[in-house]
Amino acid sequence: MSNPKTLYDKIWDAHLVHEEADGTSLLYIDRHLVHEVTSPQAFEGLRMAGRKVRAPEKTVAVPDHNVPTSLDRAKGIDDEMSRIQVEALEKNAKDFGITYYGVDDVRQGIVHIIGPELGWTLPGMTIVCGDSHTATHGAFGALAHGIGTSEVEHVLATQTLIQKKSKNMKAQINGALSEYVTAKDITLSIIGATGTAGGTGHVIEYMGEAIEALSMEGRMTVCNMAIEGGARAGLIAPDQKTFDYVMGREHAPKGAAYEAAVAYWKTLFTDDGAHFDKEIILHADDIAPVVTWGTSPEDVLPITATVPAASDFEGGKVDAAARSLDYMGLKPGTRLQDVAIDTVFIGSCTNGRIEDLREVAKVMEGRKVKDGIRAMIVPGSGLVRAQAEDEGIAQKLQEAGFDWRMAGCSMCLGMNPDQLKPGERCASTSNRNFEGRQGRGGRTHLLSPAMAAAAAITGRLTDVRDL
Amino acid sequence: MDKFTKLSGVAAPMPLVNIDTDMIIPKQFLKTIKRSGLGANLFDEMRFNQDGSEIPEFVLNQPAYREAKILVAGDNFGCGSSREHAPWALADFGIRCVISTSFADIFFNNCFKNGILPIVLPQEEVDKLMDDAQRGANAVVSVDLESQTITGPDGGEISFDVDPFKKDCLLNGLDDIGLTMKKAEAIDTFEARYEAQAPWA
C-alpha cells in the first residue's frame, strides 16, 4: 500500500473540515455528550454571546456526577449546589433542544456508559465530552476526546473542535489472559509500564490477541483509562463483536442503513505498514491481577508484590512516592495482601457495566461480604441495574451483603454523598487513586471487579485466584 | 479572554511530579455554575487543614509566595480530570504562567483558553528556574510571550517554544469561537458532504 494509515489517521482524515499551514485543524464532531459539572459555564457563554447550539440532535445530556445513588433519590437532592447544577443542565437541555435523561428515566446513568448503551456511540465517529474519561468510547473505533469547558462551548456553537493532530502510539498485548486476569489488569499494567505521562501527545491504539478476545465491555475498560496513561484518546479497531453490540440499539442505524454503516466500519483498521511513533508490547502471560499502592495510577503492582520504598524510584518520583506512602499509610515491605480495607466500591465508567457485575457475582457465589466491611455496588446506568435485576445478579449480591444502589458516578469522585472518611481505605474499581479523590484523606486502591469482590470477602487486598 | 503579553512576578516552586487537577481544585468546588471565585480554594487540601486554617509549610502560604504569579512545577503537571476549574482557580488566584518539563494535554489546552501561559522546558532549565524560585521573594521572573523569553532573577535568559496559533490568541485575547464561526461556510460544506456519506452519524 502506497500510503498506509493508522485507524486514528483514517478517522481524523474523515472529519477534517479545515487545516491551516501550521497544522492547526478544525475537526468535525459527530457526538457531543454533556454532563452537569463541566457544562453550565459553556451554556452561559452561549447565552451571553447570543449563540445557539449548532447541532442539538448530535448532543446528549445526562446528570451523573452529582446525583445521589440512594434508592429514595426521586425525592430530590439535599445539597443545594448539586441540585442547582443538575437543574441547570435540565434547563439548558430544554432551552437549547438537547436530548436529556433525568434521574427518573431508566436510561440515566454515567455518560460514558449510556452513550454506547443507547447507540449514540458508533464506530468511526468523533465523540467529545467535558470529561477526561471520554476515551471510553474509543472501544468502538471512535475517536473520543475529553475536553475542557471552553471547548464544550466551542463544540456546542460550531460542532467542531480546534485540534492539532496527535502522534500515533501502539499498545499491543499478545497471547491470552489467564483466569481472573481482566481488562482492568491490562490497562493498569500498561500505565504501570509507561507511566502516567507515557501517552501524552499520543492517541493509543490497543491491539493484539488479548484485546481482540475482550468483550465490548472489557474494551471500554481498557480505553477508559487511556487518559490515565496521559493519552487523550484510546482506540480499538471495530470488529464483528462491535457490530453485533451496536445492532438494534436505540439510536444505532437500522436495516439498510445499518448494513451500509457496517460496510464502512469494516474499513476502519490500521493498514499494514502504518507508522506508529511509539510502541509498547506486553505479553498476556506477564499480566497478573494488579492493585495500586500509591496516589497515581502508575503506582501499580501485582497483588503478590510488596509495598515499595521511595528509594526504589528515581528523580522526582522519589519525593512523590514518599508522599504517597505517607498519605496511604503504608510501610515499605508490607505484603499487599496484608493490607486491610474498610470499604469496597464497585462501579464507575471504568467498571460499572453488566459484565463487571457478572464477574463480581461469579466470585461471590456461595460467599459473603465480611462483617464490618462497607460494600457498595453502583451500576453504571439504570439499564445496567435493570439487567442485573433481570438476571438475578442483583438479588444474589444483596444477599451476599452488598448495598445495591442507583446509577451515577458516585464514589469514583465523591461529588455526591458517597465518600470516604479521612483514613478510610477502599478497594475500588474506579480509575483514579489521587489524594482526596474519593473523599478528603480517603485511601484508594484501584483494582478489577473480581479483585474488589475478593477484598470484600476477606476484608483485605486479596489475590482472587487464591480464593 | 484576558490577553497575555508580558508577566513579571514571584515564581513559586512546586517540584512534586504528577500534580493532578484534583489537587489543583478538589471536587467539592466543582459544583459552581460560575467561572469566578475559585482562587480561594486553589490547592485546597494541600493549602488548608480541614478546619480551614492554613498549612504553613505549603508554598503559597509562605509570606514570600502569597502573591506568586508563576509556578515552576514538577513533571506532568495538570494530569487527570479535564476540569477547566483548574486553570480558572489558578487565574483567579493570580497565577498566569506555569513552567514544567511536561503538562497533561487537556490541562495544557485549557490554560490557553483562560489567559494562562504553560511553558515546557528541558529538565536542566526547569531545575535552574526551580532553584531560582526557591529564593522566595527574590525570585522575580519575567516572561515575554512576544519574544518567547524568560528572564530569571539574575538576568539570564531562557527561550521557549509556543504554538503560533495559540500564541496569537493569547497575545490578542482572541475568542476561538468567533474565529471558527468565520469558517461557517467550510463547516456547512463539510456537513453536507459528510451527511451524504455517513447518514447514520
Side-chain angles (χ1 to χ4, degrees):
Chain A
M1 194 169 292
S2 59
N3 183 22
K5 290 179 174 184
T6 64
L7 173 56
Y8 171 51
D9 297 338
K10 288 181 182 177
I11 303 174
W12 175 274
D13 290 350
H15 291 84
L16 192 60
V17 175
H18 180 81
E19 186 175 1
E20 302 285 347
D22 72 351
T24 301
S25 302
L26 206 55
L27 207 60
Y28 192 77
I29 300 302
D30 292 317
R31 289 286 179 269
H32 187 185
L33 311 175
V34 178
H35 67 70
E36 78 277 21
V37 179
T38 57
S39 68
Q41 296 85 353
F43 284 110
E44 191 56 25
L46 288 186
R47 281 199 184 89
M48 306 253 288
R51 288 169 177 149
K52 290 183 193 165
V53 174
R54 183 182 164 99
E57 74 284 3
K58 299 182 179 187
T59 312
V60 179
V62 66
D64 54 7
H65 284 58
N66 273 286
V67 297
T69 58
S70 50
L71 300 183
D72 64 350
R73 69 176 178 181
K75 72 178 174 45
I77 303 178
D78 291 336
D79 182 277
E80 191 186 356
M81 292 189 78
S82 291
R83 193 180 68 243
I84 290 170
Q85 213 169 43
V86 171
E87 286 170 356
L89 181 67
E90 185 169 9
K91 179 176 188 323
N92 288 330
K94 196 172 167 208
D95 288 357
F96 288 93
I98 295 166
T99 300
Y100 175 80
Y101 302 106
V103 290
D104 53 351
D105 189 320
V106 72
R107 295 168 296 181
Q108 180 271 343
I110 305 172
V111 64
H112 307 307
I113 305 258
I114 74 163
E117 200 168 65
L118 299 175
W120 289 108
T121 301
L122 298 172
M125 281 184 162
T126 48
I127 300 174
V128 296
C129 175
D131 191 286
S132 59
H133 291 111
T134 309
T136 311
H137 308 266
F140 290 79
L143 178 59
H145 292 109
I147 57 177
T149 298
S150 295
E151 290 174 317
V152 169
E153 186 179 340
H154 189 280
V155 177
L156 287 172
T158 69
Q159 206 57 28
T160 63
L161 187 65
I162 299 173
Q163 284 275 290
K164 269 203 171 167
K165 199 171 174 200
S166 301
K167 291 178 182 162
N168 280 289
M169 176 170 170
K170 168 163 99 174
Q172 184 172 321
I173 317 295
N174 295 326
L177 296 173
S178 321
E179 197 183 12
Y180 291 119
V181 180
T182 67
K184 185 66 164 287
D185 302 300
I186 292 181
T187 202
L188 280 169
S189 296
I190 293 170
I191 298 161
T194 62
T196 50
T200 301
H202 293 77
V203 165
I204 303 177
E205 182 176 347
Y206 300 94
M207 57 176 79
E209 293 153 48
I211 299 293
E212 288 163 23
L214 291 174
S215 64
M216 289 313 297
E217 285 86 353
R219 293 178 189 182
M220 285 188 253
T221 301
V222 170
C223 289
N224 173 273
M225 289 189 72
I227 183 68
E228 261 56 68
R232 222 171 164 185
L235 282 172
I236 295 172
D239 60 10
Q240 194 57 45
K241 272 185 208 170
T242 321
F243 312 144
D244 291 347
Y245 179 99
V246 166
M247 191 167 68
R249 299 205 176 248
E250 190 178 340
H251 293 277
K254 310 279 186 324
Y258 173 79
E259 297 305 328
V262 169
Y264 170 64
W265 296 340
K266 285 184 173 171
T267 68
L268 298 173
F269 55 85
T270 290
D271 298 327
D272 287 341
H275 175 72
F276 285 95
D277 302 280
K278 196 169 183 177
E279 288 188 8
I280 172 173
I281 299 174
L282 298 179
H283 200 282
D285 284 346
D286 298 330
I287 301 177
V290 294
V291 296
T292 62
W293 55 267
T295 56
S296 166
E298 70 189 17
D299 300 337
V300 64
L301 284 170
I303 181 64
T304 48
T306 57
V307 176
S311 57
D312 296 343
F313 298 91
E314 289 176 357
K317 190 69 188 171
V318 177
D319 287 346
R323 184 182 169 99
S324 290
L325 290 171
D326 180 53
Y327 180 86
M328 293 296 290
L330 293 175
K331 287 202 175 66
T334 308
R335 283 172 9 119
L336 287 168
Q337 295 179 75
D338 292 337
V339 175
I341 51 121
D342 307 294
T343 297
V344 174
F345 171 66
I346 292 166
S348 85
C349 58
T350 314
N351 283 125
R353 284 170 283 267
I354 189 68
E355 185 185 82
D356 301 313
L357 305 188
R358 289 183 191 137
E359 186 81 9
V360 173
K362 184 175 130 191
V363 174
M364 294 307 297
E365 191 68 51
R367 300 183 175 112
K368 297 263 183 216
V369 172
K370 190 179 174 174
D371 281 346
I373 300 291
R374 167 167 65 147
M376 56 197 288
I377 298 181
V378 180
S381 70
L383 290 173
V384 168
R385 186 181 146 91
Q387 187 175 352
E389 288 175 350
D390 286 349
E391 293 183 12
I393 291 173
Q395 293 80 341
K396 280 186 189 163
L397 291 172
Q398 283 172 284
E399 282 161 24
F402 280 97
D403 185 11
W404 178 248
R405 303 184 70 88
M406 303 296 277
C409 298
S410 180
M411 198 189 271
C412 175
L413 85 168
M415 275 193 76
N416 75 350
D418 306 338
Q419 296 181 13
L420 294 180
K421 294 188 185 72
E424 257 186 318
R425 192 180 292 281
C426 181
S428 179
T429 66
S430 56
N431 42 57
R432 288 190 176 131
N433 50 354
F434 297 155
E435 287 180 22
R437 173 81 178 176
Q438 296 190 291
R440 185 171 178 145
R443 294 162 171 167
T444 304
H445 295 276
L446 302 177
L447 31 55
S448 71
M451 288 283 285
I457 294 162
T458 63
R460 56 181 170 76
L461 299 178
T462 297
D463 191 337
V464 62
R465 297 169 300 186
D466 292 344
L467 283 177
Chain B
M1 184 180 76
D2 288 342
K3 290 181 187 179
F4 185 109
T5 49
K6 287 181 183 174
L7 176 71
S8 196
V10 169
M14 287 194 80
L16 188 64
V17 299
N18 298 332
I19 290 180
D20 57 70
T21 53
D22 274 82
M23 280 176 168
I24 299 172
I25 186 80
K27 59 183 166 279
Q28 59 270 35
F29 307 109
L30 308 188
K31 296 182 182 183
T32 177
I33 55 171
K34 301 196 177 96
R35 293 172 199 248
S36 56
L38 288 164
N41 305 105
L42 175 70
F43 294 116
D44 193 84
E45 291 176 8
M46 301 168 90
R47 196 169 143 208
F48 302 108
N49 291 304
Q50 211 144 11
D51 64 6
S53 61
E54 287 188 0
I55 298 170
E57 300 79 38
F58 183 68
V59 64
L60 297 178
N61 289 332
Q62 294 169 24
Y65 299 110
R66 297 183 83 92
E67 308 280 317
K69 291 182 181 169
I70 298 167
L71 279 186
V72 185
D75 193 52
N76 197 29
F77 187 84
C79 60
S81 159
S82 63
R83 58 188 70 169
E84 198 161 318
H85 308 67
W88 294 337
L90 286 165
D92 192 57
F93 181 90
I95 289 170
R96 297 286 305 278
C97 176
V98 186
I99 300 169
S100 178
T101 44
S102 78
F103 293 89
D105 288 337
I106 303 176
F107 174 82
F108 187 76
N109 276 310
N110 285 342
C111 282
F112 285 98
K113 316 278 185 194
N114 292 283
I116 297 177
L117 175 63
I119 300 177
V120 179
L121 291 176
Q123 187 74 54
E124 317 80 74
E125 288 174 342
V126 172
D127 289 348
K128 168 79 176 65
L129 288 167
M130 194 72 75
D131 282 348
D132 288 342
Q134 308 278 6
R135 288 194 245 163
N138 295 324
V140 174
V141 171
S142 298
V143 179
D144 185 335
L145 178 56
E146 179 66 51
S147 66
Q148 297 179 214
T149 51
I150 301 168
T151 310
D154 300 329
E157 279 199 0
I158 294 172
S159 62
F160 60 89
D161 286 333
V162 60
D163 177 274
F165 173 73
K166 291 188 166 100
K167 176 180 176 178
D168 188 43
C169 288
L170 266 188
L171 281 174
N172 298 298
L174 297 179
D175 162 25
D176 274 358
I177 299 175
L179 292 175
T180 299
M181 289 214 141
K182 289 184 189 159
K183 301 198 180 85
E185 212 170 309
I187 302 173
D188 291 342
T189 308
F190 176 90
E191 213 166 41
R193 176 170 58 81
Y194 183 69
E195 275 170 16
Q197 275 171 4
W200 57 84

